[in-house]
Coordinates of all heavy atoms in Angstrom, one line a residue:
K11 N -50.1 44.7 -81.7 CA -48.7 44.9 -81.9 C -48.4 46.0 -82.9 O -47.4 46.8 -82.8 CB -48.0 43.6 -82.4 CG -48.1 42.5 -81.4 CD -47.4 41.2 -81.9 CE -47.5 40.1 -80.9 NZ -46.9 38.8 -81.4
A12 N -49.2 46.1 -84.0 CA -49.0 47.2 -84.9 C -49.2 48.6 -84.3 O -48.4 49.5 -84.6 CB -50.0 47.0 -86.1
I13 N -50.2 48.7 -83.4 CA -50.4 50.0 -82.8 C -49.2 50.3 -81.8 O -48.8 51.5 -81.8 CB -51.7 50.0 -82.0 CG1 -52.9 49.9 -83.0 CG2 -51.9 51.2 -81.1 CD1 -54.3 49.8 -82.3
V14 N -48.7 49.3 -81.1 CA -47.6 49.5 -80.2 C -46.4 50.0 -81.0 O -45.7 50.9 -80.6 CB -47.3 48.2 -79.4 CG1 -46.0 48.4 -78.6 CG2 -48.4 47.9 -78.5
L15 N -46.1 49.3 -82.1 CA -45.0 49.7 -82.9 C -45.1 51.1 -83.5 O -44.2 51.9 -83.5 CB -44.8 48.7 -84.1 CG -44.3 47.3 -83.7 CD1 -44.2 46.4 -84.9 CD2 -42.9 47.4 -83.0
Q16 N -46.3 51.5 -84.0 CA -46.5 52.8 -84.5 C -46.4 53.9 -83.4 O -45.8 54.9 -83.7 CB -47.9 52.9 -85.1 CG -48.2 54.2 -85.9 CD -47.2 54.4 -87.0 OE1 -47.0 53.6 -87.8 NE2 -46.7 55.6 -87.0
K17 N -46.9 53.6 -82.3 CA -46.8 54.6 -81.2 C -45.3 54.7 -80.7 O -44.9 55.8 -80.4 CB -47.7 54.2 -80.0 CG -49.2 54.4 -80.2 CD -49.9 54.0 -79.0 CE -51.4 54.3 -79.2 NZ -51.7 55.8 -79.2
T18 N -44.6 53.6 -80.8 CA -43.2 53.7 -80.5 C -42.4 54.5 -81.5 O -41.6 55.3 -81.1 CB -42.6 52.3 -80.4 OG1 -43.3 51.5 -79.5 CG2 -41.1 52.3 -80.0
I19 N -42.7 54.3 -82.8 CA -42.1 55.1 -83.8 C -42.4 56.6 -83.6 O -41.5 57.5 -83.7 CB -42.5 54.6 -85.2 CG1 -42.0 53.2 -85.4 CG2 -42.0 55.6 -86.3 CD1 -42.5 52.6 -86.7
D20 N -43.6 56.9 -83.4 CA -44.0 58.3 -83.2 C -43.3 58.9 -82.0 O -42.9 60.1 -82.0 CB -45.5 58.4 -83.0 CG -46.3 58.0 -84.2 OD1 -45.7 58.0 -85.3 OD2 -47.5 57.7 -84.1
Y21 N -43.2 58.2 -80.9 CA -42.5 58.7 -79.7 C -41.0 58.9 -80.0 O -40.5 59.9 -79.5 CB -42.7 57.7 -78.6 CG -42.2 58.2 -77.2 CD1 -42.7 59.3 -76.6 CD2 -41.2 57.5 -76.6 CE1 -42.2 59.8 -75.4 CE2 -40.7 57.9 -75.4 CZ -41.2 59.1 -74.8 OH -40.7 59.5 -73.6
I22 N -40.4 58.0 -80.7 CA -39.0 58.2 -81.0 C -38.8 59.4 -81.9 O -37.8 60.2 -81.7 CB -38.4 56.9 -81.7 CG1 -38.4 55.8 -80.8 CG2 -37.0 57.2 -82.3 CD1 -38.0 54.5 -81.4
Q23 N -39.6 59.7 -82.9 CA -39.5 60.9 -83.7 C -39.7 62.1 -82.8 O -39.0 63.1 -83.0 CB -40.6 60.8 -84.8 CG -40.3 59.7 -85.8 CD -41.4 59.6 -86.9 OE1 -42.5 60.2 -86.7 NE2 -41.1 58.9 -88.0
F24 N -40.7 62.1 -81.9 CA -40.9 63.2 -81.0 C -39.6 63.5 -80.1 O -39.2 64.6 -80.0 CB -42.1 62.9 -80.1 CG -42.2 63.8 -78.9 CD1 -42.7 65.1 -79.1 CD2 -41.8 63.4 -77.6 CE1 -42.8 66.0 -78.0 CE2 -41.9 64.3 -76.6 CZ -42.4 65.6 -76.7
L25 N -39.0 62.4 -79.7 CA -37.7 62.6 -78.9 C -36.6 63.2 -79.7 O -35.8 64.0 -79.2 CB -37.3 61.2 -78.3 CG -38.2 60.6 -77.2 CD1 -37.6 59.3 -76.8 CD2 -38.3 61.6 -76.0
H26 N -36.5 62.8 -81.0 CA -35.5 63.4 -81.9 C -35.8 64.9 -82.1 O -34.8 65.7 -82.0 CB -35.6 62.7 -83.3 CG -34.8 61.4 -83.3 ND1 -33.5 61.3 -83.0 CD2 -35.2 60.1 -83.5 CE1 -33.1 60.1 -83.1 NE2 -34.1 59.3 -83.4
K27 N -37.0 65.3 -82.2 CA -37.3 66.7 -82.4 C -37.0 67.5 -81.1 O -36.4 68.6 -81.1 CB -38.8 66.9 -82.7 CG -39.2 66.4 -84.1 CD -40.6 66.6 -84.4 CE -41.0 66.1 -85.8 NZ -42.5 66.3 -86.1
E28 N -37.3 66.9 -79.9 CA -37.0 67.5 -78.7 C -35.5 67.7 -78.5 O -35.0 68.7 -78.0 CB -37.6 66.7 -77.5 CG -39.2 66.9 -77.4 CD -39.6 68.3 -77.1 OE1 -39.0 68.9 -76.2 OE2 -40.5 68.8 -77.8
K29 N -34.8 66.6 -78.9 CA -33.3 66.7 -78.8 C -32.8 67.8 -79.6 O -31.9 68.6 -79.2 CB -32.7 65.4 -79.2 CG -31.2 65.3 -79.1 CD -30.7 64.0 -79.5 CE -29.2 64.0 -79.5 NZ -28.6 62.7 -80.0
K30 N -33.3 67.9 -80.9 CA -32.8 69.0 -81.7 C -33.1 70.4 -81.2 O -32.3 71.3 -81.2 CB -33.4 68.8 -83.1 CG -32.9 69.8 -84.1 CD -33.5 69.6 -85.5 CE -33.0 70.6 -86.5 NZ -33.6 70.3 -87.9
K31 N -34.3 70.5 -80.6 CA -34.7 71.8 -80.0 C -33.8 72.1 -78.8 O -33.4 73.3 -78.7 CB -36.2 71.7 -79.6 CG -36.7 73.0 -79.0 CD -38.2 72.8 -78.6 CE -38.7 74.1 -78.0 NZ -40.1 73.9 -77.6
Q32 N -33.5 71.1 -78.0 CA -32.7 71.4 -76.8 C -31.2 71.7 -77.3 O -30.6 72.6 -76.6 CB -32.7 70.2 -75.9 CG -34.0 69.9 -75.2 CD -34.0 68.7 -74.4 OE1 -33.0 67.9 -74.3 NE2 -35.1 68.4 -73.7
E33 N -30.8 71.1 -78.3 CA -29.4 71.4 -78.8 C -29.4 72.9 -79.3 O -28.4 73.6 -79.1 CB -29.0 70.5 -79.9 CG -28.7 69.0 -79.5 CD -28.5 68.1 -80.6 OE1 -28.7 68.5 -81.8 OE2 -28.0 67.0 -80.4
E34 N -30.4 73.3 -80.0 CA -30.5 74.7 -80.4 C -30.5 75.7 -79.2 O -29.8 76.7 -79.2 CB -31.7 74.9 -81.3 CG -31.6 74.2 -82.6 CD -32.9 74.4 -83.4 OE1 -33.9 75.0 -82.9 OE2 -32.9 73.9 -84.6
E35 N -31.3 75.3 -78.2 CA -31.3 76.2 -77.0 C -30.0 76.2 -76.3 O -29.5 77.3 -75.8 CB -32.4 75.6 -76.0 CG -33.8 75.8 -76.6 CD -34.8 75.2 -75.6 OE1 -34.4 74.6 -74.6 OE2 -36.0 75.4 -75.8
V36 N -29.3 75.0 -76.2 CA -27.9 75.0 -75.6 C -27.0 75.9 -76.4 O -26.2 76.6 -75.8 CB -27.4 73.6 -75.6 CG1 -26.0 73.5 -75.2 CG2 -28.3 72.8 -74.5
S37 N -27.1 75.8 -77.7 CA -26.2 76.7 -78.6 C -26.4 78.1 -78.3 O -25.5 78.9 -78.2 CB -26.4 76.3 -80.1 OG -25.6 77.1 -80.9
T38 N -27.7 78.5 -78.2 CA -28.1 79.9 -77.9 C -27.5 80.3 -76.6 O -27.0 81.4 -76.4 CB -29.6 80.1 -78.0 OG1 -30.1 79.7 -79.3 CG2 -30.0 81.5 -77.7
L39 N -27.7 79.5 -75.6 CA -27.2 79.8 -74.2 C -25.7 79.9 -74.2 O -25.1 80.8 -73.5 CB -27.6 78.7 -73.2 CG -29.2 78.7 -72.9 CD1 -29.5 77.5 -72.0 CD2 -29.6 80.0 -72.3
R40 N -25.0 79.1 -75.0 CA -23.5 79.2 -75.1 C -23.1 80.6 -75.6 O -22.1 81.2 -75.2 CB -23.0 78.1 -75.9 CG -23.0 76.7 -75.2 CD -22.5 75.6 -76.1 NE -22.4 74.4 -75.3 CZ -22.2 73.2 -75.9 NH1 -21.9 73.1 -77.2 NH2 -22.1 72.1 -75.2
K41 N -23.9 81.0 -76.7 CA -23.6 82.3 -77.2 C -23.8 83.4 -76.2 O -23.1 84.4 -76.1 CB -24.5 82.6 -78.5 CG -24.1 81.7 -79.6 CD -25.0 82.0 -80.8 CE -24.6 81.1 -82.0 NZ -25.5 81.4 -83.2
D42 N -24.9 83.3 -75.4 CA -25.2 84.3 -74.3 C -24.0 84.3 -73.3 O -23.6 85.4 -72.9 CB -26.5 83.9 -73.6 CG -27.7 84.1 -74.5 OD1 -27.6 84.8 -75.5 OD2 -28.8 83.5 -74.2
V43 N -23.6 83.1 -72.9 CA -22.5 83.1 -72.0 C -21.2 83.7 -72.6 O -20.5 84.5 -71.9 CB -22.2 81.6 -71.6 CG1 -20.9 81.5 -70.7 CG2 -23.4 81.0 -70.8
M44 N -20.9 83.4 -73.8 CA -19.8 84.0 -74.5 C -19.9 85.6 -74.5 O -18.9 86.3 -74.2 CB -19.6 83.5 -75.9 CG -18.4 84.0 -76.6 SD -16.8 83.5 -75.8 CE -16.9 81.7 -76.0
A45 N -21.1 86.1 -74.8 CA -21.2 87.5 -74.9 C -21.1 88.1 -73.5 O -20.4 89.2 -73.3 CB -22.6 87.8 -75.4
L46 N -21.6 87.5 -72.5 CA -21.4 88.0 -71.1 C -20.0 88.0 -70.6 O -19.5 88.9 -69.9 CB -22.3 87.1 -70.1 CG -23.8 87.3 -70.3 CD1 -24.5 86.3 -69.4 CD2 -24.3 88.7 -70.0
K47 N -19.3 86.9 -71.1 CA -17.8 86.9 -70.7 C -17.1 88.1 -71.4 O -16.2 88.7 -70.8 CB -17.2 85.6 -71.2 CG -17.7 84.4 -70.3 CD -17.0 83.1 -70.7 CE -17.4 81.9 -69.8 NZ -16.7 80.7 -70.3
I48 N -17.4 88.4 -72.6 CA -16.8 89.5 -73.3 C -17.1 90.8 -72.6 O -16.2 91.6 -72.4 CB -17.2 89.5 -74.8 CG1 -16.7 88.2 -75.5 CG2 -16.7 90.8 -75.5 CD1 -17.2 88.1 -77.0
M49 N -18.4 91.0 -72.3 CA -18.7 92.2 -71.6 C -18.0 92.3 -70.2 O -17.6 93.4 -69.8 CB -20.3 92.2 -71.4 CG -21.0 92.3 -72.7 SD -22.8 92.1 -72.4 CE -23.2 93.6 -71.4
K50 N -17.9 91.2 -69.5 CA -17.2 91.2 -68.2 C -15.8 91.6 -68.4 O -15.2 92.4 -67.6 CB -17.3 89.8 -67.6 CG -16.6 89.6 -66.3 CD -16.8 88.2 -65.7 CE -16.1 88.0 -64.4 NZ -14.6 88.0 -64.6
V51 N -15.1 91.0 -69.4 CA -13.7 91.4 -69.7 C -13.6 92.9 -70.0 O -12.7 93.6 -69.5 CB -13.1 90.5 -70.8 CG1 -11.7 91.1 -71.2 CG2 -13.0 89.1 -70.4
N52 N -14.5 93.4 -70.8 CA -14.4 94.8 -71.1 C -14.6 95.7 -69.9 O -13.9 96.7 -69.7 CB -15.5 95.1 -72.2 CG -15.2 94.5 -73.5 OD1 -14.0 94.3 -73.8 ND2 -16.2 94.2 -74.3
Y53 N -15.6 95.4 -69.1 CA -15.8 96.2 -67.9 C -14.6 96.1 -66.9 O -14.3 97.1 -66.3 CB -17.1 95.7 -67.2 CG -18.4 96.3 -67.8 CD1 -19.3 95.4 -68.4 CD2 -18.6 97.6 -67.8 CE1 -20.5 95.9 -68.9 CE2 -19.8 98.2 -68.4 CZ -20.7 97.3 -68.9 OH -21.8 97.8 -69.5
E54 N -14.0 94.9 -66.8 CA -12.9 94.8 -65.9 C -11.7 95.7 -66.4 O -11.0 96.3 -65.6 CB -12.4 93.3 -65.9 CG -13.4 92.5 -65.1 CD -12.9 91.0 -65.1 OE1 -12.1 90.6 -65.9 OE2 -13.5 90.2 -64.3
Q55 N -11.5 95.7 -67.8 CA -10.5 96.6 -68.3 C -10.8 98.1 -68.0 O -9.9 98.9 -67.7 CB -10.4 96.3 -69.8 CG -9.8 95.0 -70.2 CD -9.8 94.7 -71.6 OE1 -10.3 95.5 -72.4 NE2 -9.2 93.6 -72.0

């Protein structure tokens, strides 16, 4: 039971790190989309 609990804790911590990494990637992609939208508007003008 002790090993099961420890492995569960490690896996939850791993998921938290992955979630944070994905949130950073999503934030970066949102900035990319915003920049592309600005460029699109400029070219249309």
Side-chain angles (χ1 to χ4, degrees):
K11 294 180 180 179
I13 294 178
V14 172
L15 290 178
Q16 185 60 49
K17 288 181 175 292
T18 303
I19 293 172
D20 295 339
Y21 184 63
I22 292 174
Q23 292 176 347
F24 167 76
L25 291 179
H26 279 299
K27 292 180 180 178
E28 287 295 314
K29 180 183 177 183
K30 184 177 181 181
K31 182 179 178 181
Q32 291 177 358
E33 288 176 349
E34 293 176 352
E35 292 178 355
V36 169
S37 178
T38 302
L39 291 174
R40 286 177 177 173
K41 292 180 180 179
D42 291 343
V43 171
M44 183 61 66
L46 292 174
K47 287 182 178 179
I48 294 173
M49 294 174 63
K50 178 175 178 291
V51 171
N52 292 333
Y53 280 116
E54 288 177 348
Q55 292 177 353

